[in-house]
Amino acid sequence: MPPLTWTNFAPPFSVYGTSPAGGYTRMPFAASTLSAEQPLLSSELLGYGRDPLAPVKDAITADGDLTIPIDAEAFGFWLKAAFGSPTTTGTSPGPYTHTFQSGNWTLPSMAIETGMPEVPRYAMYSGVMVNQLSWTMQRSGLLTASAQLVAQGETVASSSQAGTPADIALTRFEHFNGAITRNGVALGNVISAQITYANNLDRIETIRNDGMIDGADPTIAALTGQIEVRFADMVLMNQAIAGGPCELEFAYALPSGESLTVTAHAVYLPRPRVEISGPQGIQASFDWQAARASSPARMCTITLVNDIEEY
């Protein structure tokens, strides 16, 4: 399968449900379950014997997950889809700082095409929006994220509808580039950390003659996760008992200057169960939740530094 292709976000490509004729960018990905399905409804009618009548088609559902690398350039497209347009500062030739904030009511939609040239089958998905973006920080392995997508529909053709997509440089972050701080101080004894941002999209399921949705509205967002730590001090436990918030920062930085920083401004921790299961070190898991802070008056801020002038 060739790489995934994605539209630019510039007008008029932001029209929901419209796939533009050009302006696509080739995107790196590792796996995809993005597809459309239309189930059949069994006939409930009686009086025609024991053999059932023909089934009827139900509504179309187009959604799925993409496994994508967390890199210095392409990941900015996913951040824009999840959080909305960033505020960008910097001058040519860069670097540029892109600042994304939670709380936007208007999120962009995309057109995504996946291709299987050997068949041939090229599937174009219009009205694609990011419902959830999640990844795990750990000591080793490949650093990837999962993007949960909701689309309006699927159009299948025997040739590509994306034209000649633009290419971008792939500069990946690695796990050993990562760091976690709490209130500006490095947080030690962390074994792994999981981060999930959800837009909790509400599908607009109006009556249409094509069986597709009219759109997807963002509802109350959520920023949650889990921190697995070696139980070596009482820093997080004391916060959980007291009930107050802290600021957590999850960051990656490359020696060449590119960086990605996710700051949750008001994180609340539950009081976890601490178990002694054997002679190994004792671990504790904190299923944290972020909320809107008083200053700044938002839940999270994401800063991406790279050489891309505009998303």
Side-chain angles (χ1 to χ4, degrees):
M1 179 185 291
L4 186 72
T5 54
W6 182 326
T7 64
N8 289 328
F9 282 103
F13 302 154
S14 59
V15 177
Y16 184 84
T18 301
S19 299
Y24 289 77
T25 302
R26 193 183 309 275
M27 300 294 290
F29 76 110
S32 171
T33 62
L34 179 61
S35 186
E37 63 177 350
Q38 188 174 24
L40 297 175
L41 298 176
S42 300
S43 175
E44 83 287 17
L45 300 179
L46 304 176
Y48 296 90
R50 293 187 60 238
D51 294 334
L53 297 181
V56 297
K57 293 181 178 180
D58 201 1
I60 297 174
T61 300
D63 55 20
D65 297 342
L66 287 181
T67 302
I68 53 177
I70 298 182
D71 72 311
E73 295 189 5
F75 199 63
F77 287 98
W78 299 108
L79 291 175
K80 181 172 182 176
F83 294 93
S85 299
T87 300
T88 300
T89 58
T91 57
S92 181
Y96 299 94
T97 300
H98 311 279
T99 304
F100 304 84
Q101 298 180 3
S102 62
N104 287 324
W105 284 102
T106 302
L107 300 178
S109 64
M110 308 165 282
I112 295 179
E113 182 187 73
T114 59
M116 302 177 186
E118 293 85 0
V119 177
R121 181 183 188 272
Y122 293 86
M124 177 68 74
Y125 301 93
S126 59
V128 183
M129 300 180 68
V130 171
N131 185 44
Q132 182 175 291
L133 197 60
S134 62
W135 69 92
T136 300
M137 298 182 72
Q138 57 192 21
R139 183 175 180 271
S140 64
L142 294 172
L143 178 56
T144 59
S146 176
Q148 186 184 97
L149 307 177
V150 173
Q152 184 186 46
E154 174 190 72
T155 302
V156 178
S158 59
S159 61
S160 176
Q161 307 166 63
T164 302
D167 287 317
I168 56 177
L170 179 60
T171 306
R172 298 185 67 168
F173 294 107
E174 286 103 3
H175 282 295
F176 67 84
N177 301 131
I180 303 175
T181 61
R182 176 185 178 274
N183 293 335
V185 179
L187 185 62
N189 302 307
V190 179
I191 297 173
S192 66
Q194 195 269 334
I195 304 104
T196 299
Y197 179 80
N199 282 312
N200 294 315
L201 297 177
D202 181 25
R203 289 179 171 90
I204 304 175
E205 297 180 336
T206 56
I207 299 174
R208 297 170 52 118
N209 60 4
D210 57 9
M212 296 189 294
I213 61 174
D214 255 352
D217 289 338
T219 61
I220 299 297
L223 179 60
T224 59
Q226 184 183 80
I227 297 178
E228 186 86 14
V229 298
R230 298 273 288 186
F231 197 68
D233 57 53
M234 290 290 290
V235 173
L236 297 181
M237 183 63 76
N238 287 339
Q239 179 190 333
I241 294 173
C246 72
E247 182 179 84
L248 287 182
E249 183 179 281
F250 308 92
Y252 301 95
L254 295 176
S256 52
E258 296 87 352
S259 65
L260 171 66
T261 304
V262 179
T263 304
H265 298 292
V267 173
Y268 294 83
L269 303 176
R271 183 169 178 171
R273 182 187 299 273
V274 179
E275 299 180 352
I276 302 174
S277 56
Q280 293 83 10
I282 300 173
Q283 297 180 189
S285 296
F286 294 86
D287 295 321
W288 57 271
Q289 299 180 31
R292 187 175 188 266
S294 57
S295 180
R298 57 181 176 272
M299 181 168 60
C300 66
T301 302
I302 298 89
T303 303
L304 179 63
V305 178
N306 58 24
D307 291 330
I308 299 294
E309 185 174 359
E310 183 181 7
Y311 281 104

